[in-house]
Amino acid sequence: MHPNSAFRPKEDDLAELLVREIGFAAIFAGTPDGPRVAHAPVLLSDDGTTLQFHLARGYALTRHLAGATALAVVQGPDAYVSASWYADADQVPTWNYVAIEMEGAATKLDDAALVAQLDTLSTLHEARVGANPPWTRAKMNPALFSKMTGAIIGFELRITAWRPTVKLSQNKPADERERVAAGVEAAGHGALARLMRHLGGDRDGA
């Protein structure tokens, strides 16, 4: 999390919204072999207190995760910011980005909870892609589905700390923020430019 408090989202639900919409995270934890990371689709509970995911058994992280304190990071849009976009020549380049960190203890899910997680994930994302009819595990051979789920382990992270960073030039005056947004947009990062214009407008002089 960025140490500058100007880069904290003011909207209470923004971090949860980003996690739900992006739906994919890097999961970090310490292991006896050193720090390890895995990447997985995630499901945030309705009340924002738990995050579920599953990992292949072969990940270096998987066998050490149950009972460990873990960090899940959801990355939003990001882009390089050229110092030439500022009026003041005494500036340096930087990077604007969105990142949501969630920390907590990880527990292993039982088989029923893992299957429920997979069903929820497929229902959610099949609806998003507009599949008609949507895929469900009912289309699979049950024995093959069971064999494939045996190759993964489900986890739940009970979130004890949220650390969101929404670094969108909020610490710059409005005119400079707009120049940066225009530069970012011209470089092909339209989503980040839109976020800058939406979230940065109430922080002049921060």
Side-chain angles (χ1 to χ4, degrees):
M1 181 172 68
H2 197 287
N4 189 336
S5 61
F7 303 139
R8 305 286 173 272
K10 294 182 70 175
E11 296 86 347
D12 291 341
D13 62 344
L14 179 60
E16 292 187 13
L17 179 62
L18 287 164
V19 171
R20 290 192 173 95
E21 289 196 353
I22 296 168
F24 196 78
I27 314 296
F28 300 85
T31 78
D33 302 317
R36 294 292 183 268
V37 61
H39 307 270
V42 294
L43 282 173
L44 183 65
S45 63
D46 290 343
D47 62 3
T49 61
T50 62
L51 189 76
Q52 287 196 2
F53 55 93
H54 59 274
L55 302 177
R57 289 181 180 270
Y59 269 120
L61 180 63
T62 303
R63 64 181 180 273
H64 301 295
L65 195 54
T69 297
L71 184 69
V73 181
V74 171
Q75 293 285 144
D78 66 274
Y80 173 78
V81 174
S82 171
S84 65
W85 296 337
Y86 299 126
D88 184 355
D90 292 325
Q91 297 286 335
V92 295
T94 188
W95 211 276
N96 277 1
Y97 65 95
V98 174
I100 312 300
E101 301 174 21
M102 295 155 283
E103 181 181 330
T107 57
K108 181 180 175 181
L109 298 176
D110 62 23
D111 291 344
L114 170 61
V115 171
Q117 179 194 138
L118 298 174
D119 285 345
T120 302
L121 276 169
S122 61
T123 298
L124 172 65
H125 292 287
E126 289 290 308
R128 286 183 175 180
V129 301
N132 187 20
W135 180 91
T136 71
R137 61 186 168 90
K139 297 183 177 183
M140 288 189 67
N141 179 311
L144 180 58
F145 178 81
S146 179
K147 180 180 178 180
M148 294 179 75
T149 55
I152 61 176
I153 297 178
F155 293 95
E156 182 174 88
L157 185 76
R158 183 156 296 279
I159 302 170
T160 55
W162 285 80
R163 291 191 287 271
T165 297
V166 181
K167 183 177 178 291
L168 301 173
S169 301
Q170 300 98 313
N171 58 332
K172 301 296 183 183
D175 56 341
E176 291 210 331
R177 197 163 53 238
E178 174 54 34
R179 282 198 299 275
V180 173
V184 164
E185 188 171 41
H189 301 283
L192 190 69
R194 183 174 296 185
L195 279 172
M196 288 182 63
R197 290 172 173 136
H198 174 69
L199 295 178
D202 59 355
R203 298 238 179 150
D204 289 354

